[in-house]
Amino acid sequence: MRRMENTMSEQQMKTMPILALRGMVVLPGMLIHLDISREITKRAIEEAMAGDGTIFITAQKDEQVELPSFYDLHEIGVIAKIRQGVKLKDNVVRVMLSTKKRGNMLSVNQTKPFLMGDIMPYEQELDTIGQAEQEAMCRNLKEIYNIYLNENPRAGRSALDKIRRTENLDKLIDLVAMHINMPYEKRQELLECLDLERRYEIVSMLLMEEVNIFRIREAYRNKVKEEVDKNQKEYFLREQMKVIRDELGDSDGEDYVEKYREKLEQLQCSEEVREEVAEEINRLHGIPTSSSEHIVTRNYIETLLALPWDKMSEDKNDIHNAETILDEDHYGLKKVKERILEFLAVRALTNKGESPIVCLVGPPGTGKTSIAKSVARALEKKYIRICLGGVRDEAEIRGHRRTYVGAMPGRFIDGLKKAGVKNPLILLDEIDKVSSDYRGDTSSALLEVLDPEQNRNFVDHYVEIPVDLSEALFICTANSTDNIPRPLIDRMEMISIAGYTENEKFHIGKDYLIGKQLEKNGLKRRQLFINDAALRMIITSYTKEAGVRELERQIGKICRKTAKKILEGEAEKVRVSTRNITDFLGKKKYLPDEANKKDDIGIVRGLAWTEVGGDTLEIEVNTMPGEGELRITGQLGDVMKESAQIALSCVRAMLDREDDFFKENDFHLHVPEGAVPKDGPSAGITMATAIYSAVTKRKVKCNTAMTGEITLRGRVLPIGGLKEKLLAAKIAGIETVLVPKANRPDVEELETEITEGIVIEYVERLPEVLKHAISDTEMRK
């Protein structure tokens, strides 16, 4: 670096505090404000203010250095005078400084607690340049600065008068340099340039470069103006946007708009829908592609264009074909198939898309979902499955409003998009599992969807245009109607699917499941054979369900073990029988729930309904000396506890004993399998019979089971789940079943396969129950 020793030697070297700046360079003649938080800088300010206020300001070479040394600082800086210092919050000091002249840092004498160094002031000599040349330079620089201000209207004009009055070339160059934009490195170069002519050239070149940049921008602006017809304001704005997008490389928006307009021309929809979509496309055209709203609007338009507004598929109304397909896919379920075929027949005769909304109700694994698939295949309809299990947000049904980030349409609109037609078969699976919370009631949102009078104009919050759902065929499935709100039940035609009989499970396993699992596990028919006895043992000893899912899993387990044996070379083909079935499935999981071997006192067999089918349960009653209390165990619900109280009161009133037996004895009623919760009124007559037997010491027939609700006066009321209960009784080997007389119509509708081998006795009052249940026929009146 040129030291200019001949000019500095005449000046007196001074020792003064040093202020190190980071990312900033100041020039002589400036009045600046600095907010200082670094400790060594604050101490340097305090030291300078304690003296005459003189301080040397220079820039750091590396901004990251916290404690700079001599080699971390630029040698050329400015000598400044501190005018004012004020302490602010957060230990920050604000100072006002006036920069005077350039200075050369010769050395740094100390770095702690602040920087102190030897500084040689520098006085610019103007004698080397002639007076006329200096005047010419000053005038030229002022003229270029005026041009700069005219080309850049945003440039500040506060210093214009001061620049016009300044005649000293050295001060003028620094003053102009202060008021033009330049990089940090360029400003340091200008500060270190001690040659006045060179410094003048640098500032002049910077000014001219800025002027050229503004002129190029103006040329682009004029280029756009020349291309656009001045009388068409709208056309001018569009072309200006186009030029800007071309310059930015962001011209894809136009392609999207044209593509959407072509799709709109091909869309089958009403004029109202077409106008709405066209309006959104025009709106998209005016939104910059960099805007977040552009993506939101594009997604919305693509959703509208993907919806099948008036596009329909042609239904196949061949009732015989539908019956064939249902028989191919499902064994049994005669009444269910009849009901579905009736709906399809009415639909074919009326030639209308409207039809009652069917709800298939039954235990898991009984084929509800697969029946819906078969109906779709029979009608050649698109099949859409919407699982409602656990859905608790109303927006899942109606969609989210577009004001929300990440908004999307509801499941029904999304299903129509996937189907591509407005008349698909929509399966609402597990409709009894929907719930509600603070985000809305999902069941209430379904009311509009499942009402044929309202779903013609279904409004999704995202689409905001009415969509016609009346052409869609809705089929719902549920395990129970207990959790479905009453208004929703009123909109659906309930079809009950009870559990399969053991014979039906056998045929389903033999004709459908074995072949399905063989194919799934890569086996051929000749490689695995399961004989009939083994299949029946799987049904009775390894599964306990109303459907056939567990049965299919057990067959799949046998197939996997067979595949392993074949691959390991143990066997070329496998035959499964009752003798070797434990090698594949292990020990038996369930023992047959058989009837007792002998008649007993206080033990009565009852019948129960569960979500996985029917079951039998024993009710036991013991009497013991006490104070007439009734103790109930077995994890019973409130309704079942009340039934026990009613049964005790009914028996006590009927016997009308003269002794104090009921006062001097306690009664303990227990229902085994205490870990399993139980509830319901249908065990009423079973409890009454058990209590009667325990009190009178008369034995109850071991081959008799019963179900029915009892009243205080001994009347027997009807119950539900009769088919499942009779199936459970038949599997347990029960010979006689007592059923409320009011349930006779339900029994008459059952298949002969279920009632065959069982004597069904219809009862109206408790004495009739006791007549059939008690071993000896002599009854205490």
Side-chain angles (χ1 to χ4, degrees):
M1 180 180 294
R2 194 152 61 102
R3 300 292 180 128
M4 302 293 290
E5 294 177 0
N6 59 332
T7 58
M8 291 184 181
S9 60
E10 300 174 5
Q11 303 295 329
Q12 184 179 1
M13 183 184 71
K14 295 182 180 180
T15 302
M16 63 183 72
I18 300 172
L19 194 158
L21 293 179
R22 291 186 285 191
M24 180 179 177
V25 176
V26 295
L27 298 172
M30 295 177 67
L31 184 65
I32 59 173
H33 291 83
L34 297 176
D35 288 344
I36 298 168
S37 59
R38 189 162 53 166
E39 192 60 32
I40 61 168
T41 309
K42 289 191 290 185
R43 296 292 296 274
I45 293 292
E46 291 172 0
E47 180 68 17
M49 292 180 71
D52 62 354
T54 303
I55 193 168
F56 179 72
I57 303 175
T58 186
Q60 287 186 200
K61 297 177 181 177
D62 185 359
E63 296 179 18
Q64 304 300 323
V65 177
E66 279 296 323
L67 298 173
S69 62
F70 176 84
Y71 299 101
D72 297 319
L73 303 173
H74 289 284
E75 296 179 31
I76 303 299
V78 294
I79 299 171
K81 196 85 169 178
I82 299 175
R83 295 286 186 88
Q84 188 178 8
V86 180
K87 289 186 177 181
L88 303 178
K89 292 181 180 180
D90 300 325
N91 203 22
V92 175
V93 176
R94 177 173 291 175
V95 292
M96 181 173 70
L97 304 102
S98 173
T99 58
K100 300 299 183 182
K101 60 181 74 174
R102 285 173 172 78
N104 185 16
M105 180 177 64
L106 302 179
S107 64
V108 174
N109 302 331
Q110 71 176 51
T111 57
K112 293 181 180 179
F114 56 87
L115 296 173
M116 179 77 80
D118 296 329
I119 309 301
M120 180 69 73
Y122 173 73
E123 289 290 343
Q124 182 69 51
E125 292 183 359
L126 301 176
D127 298 337
T128 57
I129 304 175
Q131 190 67 31
E133 292 175 334
Q134 291 185 36
E135 182 67 23
M137 288 180 180
C138 288
R139 289 186 183 183
N140 190 40
L141 195 59
K142 291 177 183 180
E143 184 178 345
I144 298 173
Y145 187 75
N146 278 327
I147 296 172
Y148 168 80
L149 292 179
N150 292 333
E151 294 293 335
N152 183 13
R154 296 184 180 180
R157 297 174 179 269
S158 58
L160 183 60
D161 292 336
K162 187 176 180 179
I163 290 173
R164 285 175 177 172
R165 293 194 302 269
T166 302
E167 299 298 331
N168 184 290
L169 180 61
D170 181 31
K171 293 181 179 180
L172 179 64
I173 293 172
D174 289 337
L175 190 60
V176 171
M178 275 187 257
H179 292 88
I180 59 176
N181 292 323
M182 66 177 72
Y184 153 79
E185 295 80 9
K186 200 72 176 177
R187 200 178 292 273
Q188 181 65 33
E189 180 188 345
L190 189 66
L191 179 64
E192 293 178 352
C193 183
L194 303 178
D195 187 337
L196 192 61
E197 289 186 45
R198 176 61 186 155
R199 206 186 316 158
Y200 164 80
E201 292 174 0
I202 292 172
V203 174
S204 299
M205 288 173 61
L206 285 172
L207 277 174
M208 290 305 300
E209 285 176 6
E210 288 293 317
V211 169
N212 287 335
I213 289 172
F214 288 118
R215 284 177 176 172
I216 291 170
R217 288 177 59 185
E218 188 64 22
Y220 272 110
R221 198 174 301 145
N222 293 333
K223 179 182 177 182
V224 173
K225 289 181 181 179
E226 291 173 2
E227 294 176 356
V228 177
D229 185 0
K230 296 180 180 180
N231 297 325
Q232 298 180 0
K233 184 178 181 180
E234 182 180 355
Y235 182 70
F236 163 72
L237 294 173
R238 187 177 290 114
E239 286 297 315
Q240 190 178 39
M241 288 173 62
K242 183 178 178 181
V243 172
I244 293 171
R245 284 174 176 162
D246 288 342
E247 292 294 326
L248 294 174
D250 189 15
S251 59
D252 294 338
E254 291 287 329
D255 299 335
Y256 284 119
V257 170
E258 293 303 319
K259 183 175 72 174
Y260 292 154
R261 283 177 175 152
E262 290 175 5
K263 285 187 176 180
L264 181 58
E265 291 295 323
Q266 302 170 3
L267 188 65
Q268 299 178 23
C269 62
S270 62
E271 286 302 317
E272 291 80 6
V273 174
R274 195 177 300 278
E275 290 175 5
E276 289 280 350
V277 179
E279 185 177 341
E280 287 296 326
I281 293 174
N282 292 335
R283 183 167 166 268
L284 174 68
H285 190 253
I287 301 175
T289 54
S290 58
S291 171
S292 60
E293 190 178 357
H294 181 88
I295 302 297
V296 173
T297 307
R298 267 186 57 192
N299 291 338
Y300 178 58
I301 292 172
E302 287 174 1
T303 300
L304 295 181
L305 292 173
L307 284 175
W309 297 96
D310 290 335
K311 185 179 179 182
M312 296 177 63
S313 62
E314 187 175 347
D315 292 349
K316 187 173 183 178
N317 294 323
D318 187 347
I319 197 75
H320 299 293
N321 179 64
E323 186 174 3
T324 302
I325 289 174
L326 289 174
D327 288 336
E328 283 178 2
D329 295 347
H330 299 86
Y331 179 85
L333 303 177
K334 182 179 178 182
K335 289 192 177 295
V336 176
K337 292 177 183 177
E338 284 181 5
R339 292 284 296 275
I340 290 176
L341 290 173
E342 287 167 7
F343 287 131
L344 299 182
V346 172
R347 189 180 175 91
L349 286 175
T350 57
N351 205 18
K352 292 181 181 178
E354 299 178 11
S355 64
I357 293 162
V358 180
C359 183
L360 306 174
V361 182
T366 51
K368 300 182 294 298
T369 303
S370 59
I371 284 177
K373 287 184 180 179
S374 299
V375 173
R377 190 159 73 93
L379 294 176
E380 295 185 357
K381 277 181 171 291
K382 294 285 186 178
Y383 172 76
I384 300 297
R385 177 178 175 268
I386 299 175
C387 184
L388 298 176
V391 173
R392 59 178 64 231
D393 189 355
E394 180 196 2
E396 295 278 352
I397 307 300
R398 293 184 180 274
H400 301 81
R401 298 191 184 277
R402 282 189 292 141
T403 51
Y404 297 111
V405 175
M408 61 181 67
R411 296 196 180 193
F412 288 92
I413 297 299
D414 191 53
L416 288 180
K417 278 175 56 181
K418 292 177 181 176
V421 291
K422 65 182 290 188
N423 61 335
L425 186 146
I426 300 178
L427 172 67
L428 304 182
D429 212 2
E430 309 290 356
I431 197 171
D432 58 327
K433 305 297 190 303
V434 296
S435 55
S436 59
D437 60 6
Y438 66 93
R439 288 170 290 190
D441 188 354
T442 311
S443 300
S444 299
L446 285 171
L447 293 177
E448 181 184 358
V449 176
L450 298 180
D451 191 336
E453 299 300 324
Q454 298 181 41
N455 61 14
R456 296 176 181 276
N457 296 298
F458 173 71
V459 178
D460 184 276
H461 289 159
Y462 181 83
V463 176
E464 293 181 341
I465 303 175
V467 179
D468 185 7
L469 296 178
S470 63
E471 296 291 339
L473 174 60
F474 291 97
I475 294 181
C476 310
T477 70
N479 295 131
S480 172
T481 58
D482 296 341
N483 298 326
I484 305 177
R486 193 76 228 172
L488 203 56
I489 291 178
D490 290 341
R491 284 164 168 77
M492 298 185 291
E493 293 276 354
M494 295 293 172
I495 298 180
S496 179
I497 301 180
Y500 294 110
T501 65
E502 183 181 333
N503 187 51
E504 286 176 332
K505 289 182 182 179
F506 172 77
H507 285 291
I508 292 171
K510 186 174 182 179
D511 300 338
Y512 298 89
L513 301 183
I514 291 177
K516 179 180 177 182
Q517 286 299 318
L518 286 174
E519 183 180 351
K520 187 175 181 180
N521 290 278
L523 296 173
K524 297 178 180 178
R525 286 274 183 182
R526 59 180 176 79
Q527 292 177 311
L528 174 63
F529 176 75
I530 303 175
N531 66 24
D532 294 352
L535 184 58
R536 291 187 187 277
M537 183 175 285
I538 295 172
I539 294 168
T540 56
S541 301
Y542 292 91
T543 66
K544 191 175 183 180
E545 58 178 345
V548 290
R549 281 191 184 142
E550 184 63 25
L551 175 60
E552 184 175 3
R553 279 192 285 268
Q554 296 299 330
I555 294 172
K557 189 175 180 181
I558 293 174
C559 291
R560 290 192 298 273
K561 287 186 180 294
T562 300
K564 182 171 176 272
K565 285 178 179 289
I566 292 173
L567 284 178
E568 290 178 349
E570 293 183 22
E572 293 184 1
K573 59 182 180 179
V574 174
R575 181 183 179 89
V576 180
S577 65
T578 55
R579 287 180 295 179
N580 67 347
I581 194 168
T582 53
D583 297 338
F584 295 90
L585 301 180
K587 295 181 180 180
K588 295 180 181 180
K589 295 181 180 179
Y590 306 102
L591 296 176
D593 198 5
E594 296 178 351
N596 295 338
K597 300 298 183 183
K598 61 178 183 176
D599 301 346
D600 209 340
I601 296 173
I603 299 179
V604 184
R605 178 83 55 172
L607 300 175
W609 178 91
T610 68
E611 287 190 356
V612 295
D615 198 3
T616 66
L617 57 113
E618 283 187 344
I619 293 180
E620 303 173 345
V621 174
N622 270 350
T623 62
M624 64 208 80
E627 299 177 353
E629 293 183 358
L630 174 62
R631 182 179 301 172
I632 302 171
T633 57
Q635 201 173 349
L636 308 186
D638 293 338
V639 176
M640 205 163 180
K641 289 178 181 178
E642 290 176 359
S643 295
Q645 296 283 355
I646 293 169
L648 177 60
S649 299
C650 181
V651 171
R652 186 173 180 178
M654 186 184 74
L655 288 175
D656 192 19
R657 294 181 62 143
E658 295 178 358
D659 56 11
D660 294 329
F661 183 86
F662 286 98
K663 291 182 180 179
E664 297 173 353
N665 289 274
D666 287 345
F667 299 88
H668 188 166
L669 186 148
H670 176 66
V671 182
E673 296 186 27
V676 181
K678 312 166 191 72
D679 204 0
S682 64
I685 63 172
T686 314
M687 293 178 177
T689 303
I691 293 171
Y692 178 88
S693 172
V695 172
T696 62
K697 308 303 180 185
R698 295 174 182 271
K699 295 182 179 180
V700 180
K701 295 177 182 177
C702 62
N703 60 353
T704 300
M706 58 191 71
T707 179
E709 182 179 353
I710 194 170
T711 69
L712 265 176
R713 297 302 181 93
R715 290 187 298 113
V716 181
L717 302 182
I719 44 79
L722 196 56
K723 179 181 177 181
E724 291 85 352
K725 293 177 180 179
L726 291 176
L727 279 172
K730 187 171 183 179
I731 293 171
I734 300 296
E735 298 176 5
T736 304
V737 177
L738 307 184
V739 174
K741 191 172 183 179
N743 283 113
R744 183 189 289 269
D746 300 324
V747 176
E748 291 173 350
E749 287 186 359
L750 298 175
E751 295 89 344
T752 309
E753 183 183 347
I754 297 174
T755 58
E756 188 179 6
I758 300 176
V759 177
I760 299 176
E761 299 287 353
Y762 300 102
V763 292
E764 283 187 294
R765 304 189 67 84
L766 182 57
E768 297 177 40
V769 176
L770 300 175
K771 179 181 177 182
H772 292 289
I774 300 299
S775 290
D776 51 344
T777 56
E778 292 186 11
M779 298 289 301
R780 181 176 295 182
K781 303 297 182 183

